[in-house]
């Protein structure tokens, strides 16, 4: 069982992995949203990689901005269906995600739950009080993911899959990126050094 893979050291601060979803776990739909399970496609090798990472981290979370809900392009139930199926596939592959956090709000409201704001991570800390941000890692393919991890004192890992990223903005946050990799798989290969 996946639970047996956990590091059960009592009294120790727990290492957590925060994963962005679109572009890290699944193929990002450019200028669009994954509105149903049929539109959700895992990136190559990700299922195997999550099962490896789940053994290395005490907690694994998904943190995802989903303003398609505020835009009326999908409902929370649609998103729930996508996540239910994602979690089922991850479990079948012996992986584990302890909780999925999402922000349904529109970016124009600058909501506290929307990355780069810290709401989702602080909710995770409420739900799992022994998690320790300083020994945690945020992995994402967007500038907002890096800002989010940096503000919370996590290690930040940038996944270079986004072809349409703003190069100038990326240059401005270079000092906030601890590691860059081409994929989640590449991160997993080097993760022992990063979380040591
Ligand atoms: Mg992303």
């Amino acid at each position: 069982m996946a639970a047996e893979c956990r590091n059960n050291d009592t009294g120790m601060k727990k290492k957590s992995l925060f994963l962005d979803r679109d572009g890290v776990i699944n193929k990002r739909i450019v200028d669009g949203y994954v509105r149903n399970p049929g539109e959700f496609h895992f990136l190559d090798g990700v299922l195997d990689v999550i099962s490896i990472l789940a053994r290395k981290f005490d907690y694994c979370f998904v943190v995802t901005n989903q303003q398609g809900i505020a835009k009326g392009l999908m409902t929370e139930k649609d998103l729930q269906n996508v996540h239910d199926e994602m979690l089922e596939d991850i479990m079948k592959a012996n992986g584990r995600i302890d909780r999925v956090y999402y922000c349904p709000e529109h970016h124009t409201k600058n909501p506290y739950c929307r990355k780069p704001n810290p709401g989702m991570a602080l909710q995770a800390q409420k739900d799992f009080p022994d998690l320790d941000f300083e020994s945690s890692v945020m992995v994402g393919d967007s500038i907002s993911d890096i800002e989010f991890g940096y503000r919370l004192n996590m290690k930040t890992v940038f996944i270079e899959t986004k072809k349409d990223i703003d190069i100038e903005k990326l240059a401005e946050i270079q000092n906030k990126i601890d590691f860059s990799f081409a994929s989640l798989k590449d991160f997993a290969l080097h993760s022992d050094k990063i979380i040591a």
Side-chain angles (χ1 to χ4, degrees):
M1 279 179 61
E4 289 169 7
C5 301
R6 279 191 200 171
N7 176 352
N8 282 324
D9 291 348
T10 48
M12 274 184 63
K13 298 270 189 176
K14 301 290 199 235
K15 280 187 285 235
S16 304
L17 176 64
F18 287 80
L19 292 173
D20 170 44
R21 198 195 78 182
D22 300 318
V24 173
I25 294 176
N26 58 287
K27 284 180 193 149
R28 185 172 71 101
I29 298 178
V30 179
D31 297 328
Y33 300 90
V34 175
R35 294 164 304 171
N36 58 65
E39 293 179 343
F40 185 95
H41 302 287
F42 283 99
L43 288 164
D44 284 345
V46 158
L47 281 171
D48 291 336
V49 167
I50 290 178
S51 87
I52 292 165
L53 290 171
R55 291 182 201 119
K56 298 185 187 223
F57 286 88
D58 299 302
Y59 298 124
C60 301
F61 304 113
V62 170
V63 282
T64 180
N65 288 344
Q66 294 295 334
Q67 64 171 342
I69 293 169
K71 291 179 179 175
L73 300 171
M74 58 200 272
T75 64
E76 296 213 45
K77 181 77 182 96
D78 293 332
L79 187 66
Q80 189 63 51
N81 290 341
V82 169
H83 289 161
D84 285 350
E85 204 151 311
M86 174 186 81
L87 292 173
E88 203 181 312
D89 288 343
I90 288 171
M91 273 171 56
K92 276 189 203 155
N94 294 316
R96 189 191 81 248
I97 296 291
D98 294 282
R99 201 154 299 181
V100 176
Y101 296 96
Y102 64 90
C103 182
E105 307 290 340
H106 199 276
H107 72 273
T108 50
K109 290 186 178 169
N110 189 25
Y112 195 58
C113 64
R114 186 176 167 84
K115 292 175 289 183
N117 293 331
M120 290 192 280
L122 296 179
Q123 185 59 50
Q125 196 180 40
K126 268 188 201 154
D127 297 338
F128 301 85
D130 53 355
L131 88 76
D132 178 45
F133 290 131
E134 279 186 50
S135 43
S136 297
V137 181
M138 173 66 207
V139 182
D141 69 336
S142 293
I143 287 165
S144 61
D145 295 316
I146 298 303
E147 287 281 1
F148 172 83
Y150 180 82
R151 289 181 192 181
L152 288 151
N153 279 326
M154 298 187 211
K155 294 196 179 79
T156 58
V157 172
F158 184 64
I159 302 293
E160 303 156 323
T161 49
K162 221 172 180 178
K163 307 256 185 294
D164 53 346
I165 200 147
D166 185 326
I167 299 293
E168 279 178 27
K169 281 199 181 137
L170 185 61
E172 284 169 22
I173 59 141
Q174 273 306 323
N175 64 331
K176 298 177 180 174
I177 298 175
D178 293 313
F179 304 91
S180 290
F181 295 106
S183 66
L184 189 63
K185 194 176 183 177
D186 282 353
F187 160 64
L189 288 172
H190 296 88
S191 58
D192 285 345
K193 272 181 270 168
I194 293 171
I195 60 180

